[in-house]
Amino acid sequence: MDTKVKIFINDEEYTEYIPNRMLLVDFIRDVAGLTGTHIGCTYEGVCGACTVQLNEQAIKSCLVLAVQADGHSITTVEGLAKGGVLTSLQKAFNDHHALQCGYCTPGILMNMDEFLKEHPNPTEEEIRHGLVGNLCRCTGYAHIVDAIRD
């Protein structure tokens, strides 16, 4: 059975008929065509690569049905930079070489964007605690923590 949904992603409206069981991550990637949101742990919610913001709150989009986002606003990593201008967090990731393969980076950026709004001057311990839901297999987190602190 299909359901009609209207989801706003990065300020653009997507109105579609979708299967009731379609996950939000699949809607973002397959319907909206926004591939910056990654699927890392095969829909188990443990890696954080699929993190987006639903009404400005970071969520793992592999654990949410797309029908649950009907009428709501989603921000993906493609929506962070406005007019091609990187956010200070994105610039800091670049400046501190806070990525290697980059697979986890979009999810970390989306999580930490929300985190920094609530904790504008976090300690290293707070940053590391905030990163708990995002796995990175390449960097060892040191450069990521430095970028977030910056």
Side-chain angles (χ1 to χ4, degrees):
M1 182 172 183
D2 288 352
T3 299
K4 185 178 180 180
V5 296
K6 183 191 310 184
I7 302 173
F8 301 89
I9 304 176
N10 303 329
D11 298 323
E12 187 171 331
E13 180 183 315
Y14 294 85
T15 301
E16 299 286 336
Y17 283 93
I18 59 165
N20 290 337
R21 298 184 66 138
M22 176 180 263
L23 295 172
L24 181 57
V25 68
D26 294 324
F27 185 92
I28 291 166
R29 292 180 59 81
D30 300 338
V31 176
L34 299 169
T35 56
T37 302
H38 295 153
I39 302 167
C41 63
T42 322
Y43 310 108
E44 294 177 3
V46 296
C47 75
C50 70
T51 302
V52 298
Q53 293 176 6
L54 172 66
N55 299 331
E56 300 184 10
Q57 186 171 23
I59 60 148
K60 294 178 181 178
S61 61
C62 75
L63 298 177
V64 175
L65 295 171
V67 295
Q68 292 175 288
D70 183 30
H72 295 281
S73 176
I74 305 291
T75 304
T76 68
V77 70
E78 292 94 341
L80 282 182
K82 302 294 184 201
V85 178
L86 297 178
T87 66
S88 58
L89 180 61
Q90 289 171 310
K91 289 177 191 171
F93 264 63
N94 184 51
D95 294 345
H96 289 275
H97 309 288
L99 61 125
Q100 285 181 19
C101 82
Y103 202 83
C104 65
T105 306
I108 291 174
L109 288 170
M110 297 310 298
N111 185 27
M112 290 296 103
D113 179 71
E114 179 202 3
F115 173 82
L116 288 170
K117 289 174 185 168
E118 296 175 12
H119 305 89
N121 295 302
T123 65
E124 180 175 338
E125 183 179 339
E126 289 171 325
I127 292 168
R128 290 186 179 276
H129 181 63
L131 285 168
V132 165
N134 294 97
L135 298 179
C136 176
R137 294 183 174 142
C138 299
T139 67
Y141 297 96
H143 294 294
I144 293 171
V145 171
D146 291 344
I148 296 165
R149 194 171 21 203
D150 187 29

